[in-house]
């Protein structure tokens, strides 16, 4: 199940300086693309954000370390699905490093030029024979414009591929392009990163590495770090931005337009994860306004988004707004004056001054709740700050997906 | 559905100085006991803890205020189910006060001697005609030993009544008794209180009101405030302790034994809520040890207990211990060293030194997970403090109960 039509663009553009190769390693089951290599030409730069889960996976440790290495030649990202290589102790680290070394041998580069990523079951050892058996095939398949292959190759419980792109026309008329893919469906409550997101641009950004890192952090907070399916932060979250610098130089005011386009791509990729959230039947935007701080607005949004009672009411299309109000009331805020709180549902006023809106009717509430795409507006009446959080509902299919088989 | 046999005692004892009366007011539907009066003889004392939800219900506001009133004569608790009188604004306050005034007229006391409690649907106005219509009937029914009626009368989505009692033999051979009932099944993550708990003792406690309040707080933290079904803190939580002082004086060392017995009663009432958690098929105890502080141990326990992925794995009896590990890893702890973490499942070692235990087998894990009663042991390896948290699983029935009809 998923909400709305697939948003994967039919016209995903090539990024000069980036090649993608995909293979079937049979890591979880045969006959499925589950191994992806992304090759970045010499001169490319990388920025990344990673999960804050203390049990972060072995590949996260290795990718974080290799990200810092000084590399002159090409760099490689290698992603396997079906196995997270998390909770795997010493053997996990050995396997993640061996993956890099194996690909480095095939590609003729240093192992530190390879960043590994894994997603799938936690706690099972990585099947190294199958993974290394398929690495040469994926390497041989490297080519331009294989975004669709990459998007399929990183899917786990995802039901559809996720991609987004933008082009930015600079002040001088030249053009640069941003494109990327993401994956994620369950165990989604990213913290400083998403499940997996890989975005590349051919722009030659006139900023240093720390400014690039900061730009990624800014756009991630408002995209991947503003979504939640089930409040469970994964052990393997990572979001990578590759800058190949093969196209025009982007500097000055153009950087603002570039960052806005990058934010759009990231947000579309993040929202695609919510649309494909495990068992999702609703795509819900929480717009929290009039908060004292952005952090406070986000805390209210996440509290409502995580509430099982709100999520089951959304699934039922039941305008049980009391559950939304109760969730707002238990958010970690100091001295919330409930008389100042107002709540709307797709524009229908349901709560005013902390109680049921005078104009509210059950018929209007039910009609609003019946929509597949919902905007829950929450005004706290105590400040000027705001935030948006995206989430899905809690359906029978969520329970089935997570209870009926091991994922 | 509920886990294990009902724990309601067949031999609930009378508490001298307490009478209970129950009626059918038809607040939600006809033919169901939904209105309870508890009458406390003159000279009784009361202590209470209430929800910290900012949207706490009108009756919570009124009960908190009336609890502080100086009352010479009898006091009354009046509890209705089927309607929470929460999110009801000014009208809600008016209705809660009118309930007190109506009962005060019938009983011939001051309205401040009446404490109102409500539980049920949020946001609907209290049907005052039905409530006041049945109050005289409930008052006329007041009698000793009606605990079973009271336990049934406060049920909402509960599938079974909940009660517990203990007697305490004092050093001088005299005996005092503690008995109580609770209700709760969904929207259970009490914070400073439970859904609804009413406990009474005939003991003549030789402590002042502030010491009595403190005693209640201490036992509530380790009982009602250590359980969670679905992380949703209700708007109406309240836990009341009535002390009628009709039996022996309890002082000195006897107070320690009394508090231990009170803690037992509170814990049994709290655990009964988990056993009857909405859709529950498992009764799960999280024993978190080797934490730096009790707060830290509780935070880890609640993070695991709230994880939808852990809860669905519990429902599936799937020994997907990676999900437990991932939840521990995202708990709000500073600098958790995962190498020090060990996890057991009903005594079976599943994680050691942050990775899969060497001795672990899928067969042993699956056998442990198949049990209806589970103890998940989590050693953090960084301190001496510990805490226990109780929870249930996330089943299809939880979704059905909360999505298929308005509750």
């Amino acid at each position: 199940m998923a909400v709305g039509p697939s948003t994967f663009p039919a016209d995903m553009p090539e990024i000069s300086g980036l090649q993608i190769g995909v293979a079937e390693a049979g890591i979880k089951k045969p006959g499925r693309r589950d191994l992806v290599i992304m090759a970045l030409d010499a001169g490319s730069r990388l920025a990344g954000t990673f999960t804050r889960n203390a049990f972060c996976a072995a590949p996260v440790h290795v990718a974080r370390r290799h990200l810092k290495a000084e590399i002159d030649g090409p760099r490689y990202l290698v992603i396997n699905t079906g196995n997270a290589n998390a909770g795997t102790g010493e053997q996990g680290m050995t396997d993640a490093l061996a993956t890099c070394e194996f690909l480095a041998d095939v590609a003729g580069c240093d192992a530190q030029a390879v960043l590994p990523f894994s997603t799938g079951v936690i706690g099972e050892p990585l099947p190294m024979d199958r993974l290394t058996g398929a690495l040469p095939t994926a390497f041989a398949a490297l080519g331009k414009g294989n975004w669709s292959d990459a998007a399929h190759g990183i899917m786990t419980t995802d039901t559809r591929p996720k991609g987004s792109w933008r082009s930015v026309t600079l002040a001088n008329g030249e053009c640069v392009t941003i494109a990327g893919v993401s994956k994620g469906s369950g165990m989604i409550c990213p913290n400083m990163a998403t499940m997996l997101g890989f975005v590349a641009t051919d722009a030659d950004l006139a900023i240093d590495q720390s400014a690039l890192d900061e730009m990624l952090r800014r756009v991630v907070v408002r995209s991947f770090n503003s979504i939640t399916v089930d409040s469970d932060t994964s052990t393997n979250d990572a979001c990578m931005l590759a800058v190949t610098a093969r196209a025009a130089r982007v500097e000055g005011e153009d950087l603002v337009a570039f960052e806005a386009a990058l934010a759009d791509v990231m947000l579309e990729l993040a929202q695609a994860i919510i649309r494909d959230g495990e068992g999702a039947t609703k795509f819900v935007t929480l717009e929290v306004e009039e908060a004292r701080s952005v952090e406070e607005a986000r805390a209210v949004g996440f509290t409502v988004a995580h509430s099982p009672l709100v999520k089951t009411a959304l699934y039922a299309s039941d305008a049980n707004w009391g559950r939304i109000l109760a969730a707002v009331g238990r958010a970690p805020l100091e001295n919330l004056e409930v008389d100042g709180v107002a709540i709307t549902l797709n524009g229908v006023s349901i709560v005013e001054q902390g109680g049921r809106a005078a104009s509210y009717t059950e018929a209007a509430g039910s009609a609003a709740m019946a929509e597949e795409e919902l905007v829950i507006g929450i005004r706290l009446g105590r400040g000027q700050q705001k935030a948006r959080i995206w989430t899905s509902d809690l359906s029978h299919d969520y329970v089935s997906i997570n209870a009926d088989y091991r994922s």
Side-chain angles (χ1 to χ4, degrees), chain A residues 83-241:
Chain A
N83 184 305
N85 193 11
T88 42
E90 295 269 326
Q91 188 61 45
M93 288 298 290
T94 304
D95 290 345
L97 284 166
T99 304
C100 297
E101 281 157 12
F102 191 92
L103 179 55
D105 278 351
V106 173
C109 68
D110 190 279
Q112 290 195 90
V114 183
L115 278 64
F117 302 87
S118 298
T119 174
V121 178
I122 296 171
E124 304 287 333
L126 203 58
M128 287 303 290
D129 51 341
R130 277 173 272 167
L131 194 151
T132 56
L135 269 178
T137 311
F139 188 80
L142 282 171
K144 294 181 189 299
N146 293 345
W147 281 120
S148 173
D149 279 347
H152 280 95
I154 62 175
M155 285 166 57
T156 51
T157 55
D158 305 59
T159 68
R160 36 164 86 159
K162 300 167 181 67
S164 174
W165 73 277
R166 289 286 187 284
S167 67
V168 184
T169 304
L170 308 179
N172 65 6
E174 290 188 281
C175 202
V176 299
T177 306
I178 306 165
V181 293
S182 66
K183 68 119 335 208
S185 189
M187 200 176 268
I188 296 292
C189 182
N191 186 357
M192 295 308 288
T194 177
M195 192 56 204
L196 288 179
F198 300 98
V199 176
T201 179
D202 53 12
D204 179 13
L205 297 177
I207 53 177
D208 66 11
Q209 185 67 37
S210 72
L212 181 63
D213 293 342
E214 274 308 308
M215 181 188 286
L216 178 61
R217 246 185 292 275
R218 281 195 299 273
V219 297
V220 163
V221 165
R222 288 169 179 271
S223 55
F224 292 116
N225 284 6
S226 293
I227 62 171
T228 181
V229 170
D230 51 15
S231 79
D232 274 314
T233 303
S234 148
T235 49
N236 290 56
D237 293 345
C239 176
M240 304 301 299
L241 172 63

Side-chain angles (χ1 to χ4, degrees), chain A residues 316-383:
Chain A
S317 294
D318 176 7
N320 193 331
W321 54 269
R323 293 184 182 174
I324 302 172
L325 178 144
V328 171
R330 72 176 170 88
L333 266 59
E334 291 291 321
N335 305 318
L336 175 63
E337 291 287 340
V338 300
D339 291 353
V341 175
I343 303 177
T344 59
L345 203 59
N346 275 5
V348 175
S349 180
I350 53 176
V351 170
E352 284 168 359
Q353 299 177 311
R356 178 155 63 179
S359 61
Y360 179 77
T361 64
E362 186 78 13
S366 296
M369 278 296 268
E371 299 292 325
E372 233 182 32
E373 314 237 343
L374 284 172
V375 178
I376 300 176
I378 300 168
R379 293 204 313 276
L380 298 175
R382 57 196 242 135

Side-chain angles (χ1 to χ4, degrees), chain A residues 282-305:
Chain A
K282 303 273 185 186
F283 176 82
V284 183
T285 306
L286 292 146
E287 296 188 341
V288 184
E289 301 183 337
E290 300 180 2
R292 288 186 185 161
S293 66
V294 171
E295 292 67 34
E296 179 175 290
R298 287 171 60 84
V300 169
F302 274 120
T303 303
V304 175

